[in-house]
């Protein structure tokens, strides 16, 4: 495909890899680097760490890859026909690899008393209940991403990365007591891989990915329909945006803009 010939495409994939590595290291280290993990303020600390790290990385990498940094967000963008199948697949692979690398680094620097490495687990609820919590928490995140980056809007003020970061923090404040909050499947995958603990791991893929798909369908077809350009969006899904790709060229149309609309 034409996208594969563009250096900016591969820079975007690398951006997802680097961004995910930093995100997992910063957030998981914050989650386990406290001897008083059972104290109530730990949930607030972890939620802020996840939210602020996403906001910072979205500001840093949004112009390169869109800073999805979450397979559920990538899937939502795919269902919204804003990226191609090839880009979505490589983004998700890069995100999983970045999470695994970062989890390995955290494993190497963790305290001797730390045995969980931030592996998500259900807290007194069934897998189906956990899946529902994950789906709804991810739904609000992907809805926020789609609405905040909608290029048709002229009413968005303030920082888009900060808005998305706050949405991530909100999801954690809501779900962390029930499931550990796995609204990012790649975030759940890295620690589970390093610790070889995949107990109820499907919950942290099915729930978030379902939430991402539901948010894209509801936003694009019910809340803010885009049916007028549906044929063009289907072409994007298969072949990417209609851009003239050069070996050193930029394809800015592919990037989810992370700046305020004016």
């Amino acid at each position: 495909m034409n996208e594969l010939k563009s250096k900016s495409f591969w820079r975007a994939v690398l951006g997802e890899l680097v961004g995910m590595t930093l995100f997992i290291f910063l957030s998981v280290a914050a989650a386990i680097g406290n001897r008083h993990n059972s104290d109530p303020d730990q949930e607030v600390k972890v939620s802020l760490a996840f939210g602020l790290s996403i906001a910072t990385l979205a500001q840093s990498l949004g112009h390169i890859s869109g800073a999805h940094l979450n397979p559920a967000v990538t899937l939502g963008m795919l269902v919204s026909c804003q990226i191609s199948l090839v880009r979505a697949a490589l983004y998700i692979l890069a995100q999983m690899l970045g999470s695994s690398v970062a989890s390995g680094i955290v494993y190497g620097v963790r305290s001797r008393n730390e045995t969980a490495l931030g592996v998500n687990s259900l807290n007194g609820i069934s897998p189906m209940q956990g899946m529902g919590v994950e789906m709804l928490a991810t739904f609000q995140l992907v809805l926020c991403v789609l609405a905040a980056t909608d290029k048709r809007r002229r009413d968005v003020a303030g920082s888009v990365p900060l808005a998305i970061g706050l949405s991530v923090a909100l999801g954690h404040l809501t779900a962390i007591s029930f499931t550990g909050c796995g609204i990012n499947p790649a975030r759940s995958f890295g620690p589970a891989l390093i610790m070889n603990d995949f107990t109820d791991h499907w919950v942290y893929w099915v729930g978030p990915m379902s939430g991402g798909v539901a948010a894209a369908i509801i936003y694009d077809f019910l809340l803010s329909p885009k049916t007028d350009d549906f044929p063009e969006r289907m072409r994007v899904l298969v072949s990417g945006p209609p851009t003239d790709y050069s070996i050193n060229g930029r394809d800015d149309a592919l990037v989810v803009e992370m700046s305020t609309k004016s």
Side-chain angles (χ1 to χ4, degrees), residues 190-209:
L193 177 67
I194 297 300
M195 301 302 293
N196 192 28
D197 183 358
F198 290 93
T199 305
D200 296 320
H201 188 67
W202 65 271
V203 170
Y204 301 100
W205 280 91
V206 176
M209 298 301 251

Side-chain angles (χ1 to χ4, degrees), residues 60-217:
S60 304
L61 301 172
H63 64 294
I64 297 173
S65 69
H68 294 187
L69 306 179
N70 186 334
V73 171
T74 298
L75 184 59
M77 291 296 176
L78 178 66
V79 173
S80 184
C81 300
Q82 298 189 46
I83 59 174
S84 67
L85 285 163
V86 169
R87 182 174 289 257
L90 288 178
Y91 269 23
I92 292 174
L93 287 174
Q95 291 157 2
M96 293 174 65
L97 177 59
S99 177
S100 301
V101 169
S103 297
I105 295 172
V106 175
Y107 182 83
V109 301
R110 79 196 191 288
S111 166
R112 293 179 180 178
N113 297 326
E114 177 57 50
T115 59
L117 198 69
V119 176
N120 285 325
S121 61
L122 302 178
N123 184 21
I125 61 175
S126 70
M128 291 303 294
Q129 290 172 318
M131 185 185 71
V133 170
E134 293 294 306
M135 182 175 69
L136 290 173
T138 308
F139 178 91
Q140 64 84 27
L141 168 60
V142 177
L143 186 66
C144 175
V145 172
L146 292 171
T149 59
D150 190 339
K151 294 182 178 180
R152 298 170 300 168
R153 296 183 63 182
R154 294 294 179 267
D155 62 325
V156 178
S159 169
V160 172
L162 180 58
I164 294 171
L166 290 174
S167 180
V168 171
L170 175 62
H172 280 76
L173 287 169
T174 301
I176 197 169
S177 297
F178 298 98
T179 62
C181 192
I183 59 176
N184 187 326
R187 172 265 181 272
S188 300
F189 174 78
L193 177 67
I194 297 300
M195 301 302 293
N196 192 28
D197 183 358
F198 290 93
T199 305
D200 296 320
H201 188 67
W202 65 271
V203 170
Y204 301 100
W205 280 91
V206 176
M209 298 301 251
S210 298
V213 170
I217 292 174

